[in-house]
Amino acid sequence: MLATHDGFSQPVLSRASLRVRVDVRGDPQVPAQRTFDLVIAANRLPVDAVTGADGKITWRRSPGGLVTAMESVMHGREGAWVGWAGEPGKAPRAFTQNSMHLRPVRLDQDDVVDYYEGQSNDCLWPIYHDAIVPAKFRRRWRTAYERVNTRFAEQVAKVAAPGATVWVHDYQLQLVPALLRKLRSDVRIGWFNHIPFPPVELFMQMPGREGILEGLLGADFLGFQRKPDAANFLRACRGLLDVTVRGDVVHLPDGRSVRASAVPISVDYNGLRELAGDPAVQQRAAEIREQLGDPKHILLGVDRLDYTKGLRHRLKAYGELLQSGDLDPSETVFVQVATPSRERLAAYRELRGQVELEVGRINGEHSPIGSTALTYLHRSFPRTEMVALFAAADVLIVTPLRDGMNLVAKEYVACHADDGAIVLSEFTGAADELSRAYLCNPHDIDKLKQTILQAMHDPPGEHRRRMRSMRRTVMTNDVQHWAEDFLTNLQAAPHKPKGHR
Ligand code: ADP
Ligand code: G6P
């Protein structure tokens, strides 16, 4: 049984696709006209509204690494967060969660279809992830993207105090910096891209590509996960706009200049260590091991069910290792947590079908009676349960074909003292920093299989050396360090409100 958000237990393989419920408070004390010195703008709020049949709203934690990171950063800081509450139609009224003031932005059904599912996730997402699936281009989607970005900019303009710092996030809101600057030239605007920025050859395919660059150049500072991402952006500016690029700075014809540089995101190292050291979580990790049949090796994958994550490659490698007898299903168990994601999009539905077929095939062919070679969990879990899973796993398998960072890899490092191992795709941002992981090219299935076996069978001393080195990296460069670094860069950027020369 795995514990759920409300403390009840449910079978490890329950079919319910639940998301973790959280408590929020409506706060009539916060007047609509209140403004804030720090404003976050992201497509999603940190919580999603779910309206029940009785019209009552419950709140669930939003999926993805952006929310994980920014929730830790905003913990204990006062500020406003402008974002969508996850359901089409009228936006719920503003409320507070911890010290954060949450301002829902309305998305109508056609905004969800054209701006969120269409332009953001069927066009930009694939283009920014090496076109692993083909990107689609629709004029209607671009119009919706402009419309919704304008709505976000207007909401931010209302909630930002004079001279406020505004931190815009991710590919869904690339036009917000320039739109906001037009409305409020007094505020300082930073933008951070949680996903890769594509090579110019791919970026150029996009109709309206110049508009995106101009939108971003409304910011005072632009942050990217890796140096090559910032370099791709700078190259696109040089090639497609009438600007001068010197080093990492774009000089605009109006005299403004904008720096674009790498500020790799990270995890709440101390919070995770504390949770992993909690006796209740350790007990839970031991229980998970026992429930899985006390195998010699537990392999773990934790991903949104997204085609960028290389789930099929990983399952292929695991299936072949069982088939060849290199892995014995009575000794090894693979647990794959696959969070539901963007389920209305065809590419995601197709992937889910393929993954679930493969899970069924592997279990059908290899599971011993009374246990499973592959435990597949298609739902969200509370933080404590995730940490217990990380702690229980001997090897984490992370095989994205392209990933801006991959926080899961860093979370695993924070949850392990001296043991454990990570098989990590070279195509993740995390691979730059976690160079002592067992690095792999997920396209090369034979090498991936060898790497998995090596990670499983290397002696404890080798695991210890690798994990210690990675731990030092994550401890020094944690999520607070990332936020400070970003905000320091933003404060240092030359800022010219309108009328100043
Ligand atoms: P992405 O942002 O693309 O989803 P990341 O690896 O950067 O990928 O971040 C994913 C975040 O979501 C991590 O904090 C991870 O622990 C969390 N997460 C992933 N799957 C689940 C799940 N099923 N339940 C709860 N949290 C999850
Ligand atoms: C990634 C993106 C985020 C996004 C998250 C979940 O982490 O970088 O911007 O919020 O995935 O995706 P979703 O489409 O459900 O918001």
Side-chain angles (χ1 to χ4, degrees):
M1 306 285 233
L2 290 180
T4 66
H5 53 276
D6 33 29
F8 295 109
S9 290
Q10 58 169 351
V12 174
L13 277 175
S14 153
R15 303 196 119 256
S17 169
L18 53 89
R19 296 264 299 280
V20 180
R21 213 183 294 156
V22 292
D23 282 336
V24 297
R25 276 182 306 117
D27 193 349
Q29 320 261 300
V30 183
Q33 65 274 23
R34 169 143 185 223
T35 59
F36 293 82
D37 291 327
L38 176 61
V39 181
I40 306 302
N43 175 57
R44 274 186 194 279
L45 289 174
V47 285
D48 272 352
V50 181
T51 308
D54 56 358
K56 235 182 103 196
I57 294 181
T58 51
W59 294 90
R60 311 275 163 98
R61 190 166 191 278
S62 304
L66 185 163
V67 163
T68 305
M70 286 312 291
E71 252 198 334
S72 310
V73 166
M74 292 305 285
H75 195 79
R77 288 182 204 236
E78 203 179 48
W81 184 319
V82 174
W84 177 43
E87 284 188 333
K90 192 167 170 272
R93 57 175 238 243
F95 58 94
T96 54
Q97 188 198 20
N98 304 321
S99 51
M100 249 182 318
H101 177 67
L102 306 190
R103 288 263 170 132
V105 175
R106 186 190 86 245
L107 289 198
D108 295 323
Q109 183 60 35
D110 55 346
D111 298 327
V112 174
V113 171
D114 295 335
Y115 148 79
Y116 169 70
E117 293 173 347
Q119 186 65 11
S120 297
N121 289 319
D122 231 355
C123 173
L124 292 164
W125 182 268
I127 284 277
Y128 283 39
H129 287 91
D130 286 358
I132 294 165
V133 307
K136 295 182 191 147
F137 308 115
R138 303 276 183 279
R139 277 173 278 192
R140 199 181 66 242
W141 294 355
R142 289 206 300 284
T143 312
Y145 189 77
E146 282 168 29
R147 178 173 73 235
V148 174
N149 272 246
T150 305
R151 201 175 301 150
F152 268 82
E154 285 166 357
Q155 285 258 22
V156 172
K158 278 192 203 144
V159 80
T165 297
V166 178
W167 190 350
V168 184
H169 291 262
D170 235 355
Y171 61 103
Q172 303 94 338
L173 300 181
Q174 294 176 96
L175 307 183
V176 168
L179 292 165
L180 178 60
R181 177 170 293 279
K182 276 200 196 123
L183 298 170
R184 290 285 304 271
S185 75
D186 61 304
V187 299
R188 212 171 255 277
I189 307 167
W191 176 81
F192 182 77
N193 197 28
H194 291 254
I195 68 173
F197 199 88
V200 66
E201 293 77 7
L202 258 178
F203 184 78
M204 276 172 70
Q205 288 183 13
M206 250 188 326
R209 61 211 186 178
E210 292 85 359
I212 289 190
L213 299 176
E214 285 159 3
L216 292 174
L217 288 169
D220 296 293
F221 174 70
L222 298 167
F224 296 84
Q225 297 282 24
R226 301 163 64 234
K227 281 188 183 157
D229 296 316
N232 284 345
F233 170 78
L234 292 164
R235 221 170 287 133
C237 288
R238 195 182 287 123
L240 298 171
L241 297 181
D242 181 20
V243 294
T244 312
V245 178
R246 274 189 227 107
D248 60 0
V249 179
V250 182
H251 298 271
L252 303 167
D254 68 359
R256 285 181 56 241
S257 56
V258 184
R259 232 181 100 228
S261 103
V263 191
I265 199 169
S266 193
V267 296
D268 177 13
Y269 177 83
N270 290 328
L272 287 163
R273 278 227 62 73
E274 206 175 298
L275 261 186
D278 183 330
V281 174
Q282 287 178 352
Q283 162 76 16
R284 188 61 204 127
E287 266 172 37
I288 290 173
R289 254 206 119 86
E290 201 187 306
Q291 285 164 359
L292 291 169
D294 228 344
K296 202 161 157 195
H297 307 278
I298 298 179
L299 314 181
L300 175 69
V302 174
D303 313 77
R304 266 182 317 98
L305 193 37
D306 194 298
Y307 50 78
T308 57
K309 302 289 185 182
L311 281 145
R312 289 170 44 222
H313 298 65
R314 183 183 316 175
L315 293 182
K316 187 162 183 56
Y318 182 57
E320 287 190 11
L321 285 169
L322 290 170
Q323 186 66 36
S324 61
D326 284 302
L327 289 184
D328 175 350
S330 64
E331 287 189 342
T332 303
V333 167
F334 192 142
V335 178
Q336 177 64 56
V337 179
T339 324
S341 190
R342 306 176 192 164
E343 294 193 291
R344 282 161 40 106
L345 290 180
Y348 289 78
R349 279 206 307 272
E350 239 166 67
L351 174 72
R352 181 174 174 190
Q354 290 162 344
V355 164
E356 295 188 350
L357 203 69
E358 188 60 12
V359 169
R361 198 187 61 76
I362 290 175
N363 277 330
E365 288 179 9
H366 302 289
S367 290
I369 289 180
S371 62
T372 44
L374 212 169
T375 294
Y376 171 71
L377 303 162
H378 183 244
R379 58 184 186 270
S380 292
F381 293 98
R383 204 85 198 116
T384 46
E385 195 69 357
M386 295 305 293
V387 171
L389 268 169
F390 286 136
D394 300 299
V395 181
L396 180 78
I397 307 204
V398 186
T399 54
L401 309 179
R402 177 59 74 198
D403 205 338
M405 176 54 64
N406 197 280
L407 291 184
V408 165
K410 291 187 173 181
E411 286 170 349
Y412 180 85
V413 169
C415 293
H416 278 258
D418 281 341
D419 60 343
I422 308 183
V423 171
L424 180 62
S425 160
E426 291 160 355
F427 306 117
T428 61
D432 278 11
E433 293 167 86
L434 305 182
S435 55
R436 300 302 309 277
Y438 293 87
L439 295 178
C440 68
N441 167 8
H443 296 283
D444 188 338
I445 301 292
D446 286 335
K447 284 258 181 65
L448 174 58
K449 282 157 54 182
Q450 282 167 21
T451 311
I452 292 173
L453 292 176
Q454 190 195 347
M456 288 172 71
H457 299 309
D458 260 358
E462 179 62 15
H463 286 164
R464 195 161 47 242
R465 271 189 295 281
R466 287 173 179 253
M467 288 302 285
R468 277 189 184 163
S469 150
M470 293 192 282
R471 195 171 71 225
R472 274 194 298 276
T473 305
V474 178
M475 186 168 62
T476 322
N477 300 306
D478 69 354
V479 75
Q480 295 300 344
H481 179 272
W482 166 72
E484 293 303 333
D485 202 4
F486 183 90
L487 292 170
T488 306
N489 273 298
L490 177 53
Q491 292 312 320
H495 175 68
K496 285 191 190 162
K498 236 189 225 145
H500 286 233
R501 321 195 85 239

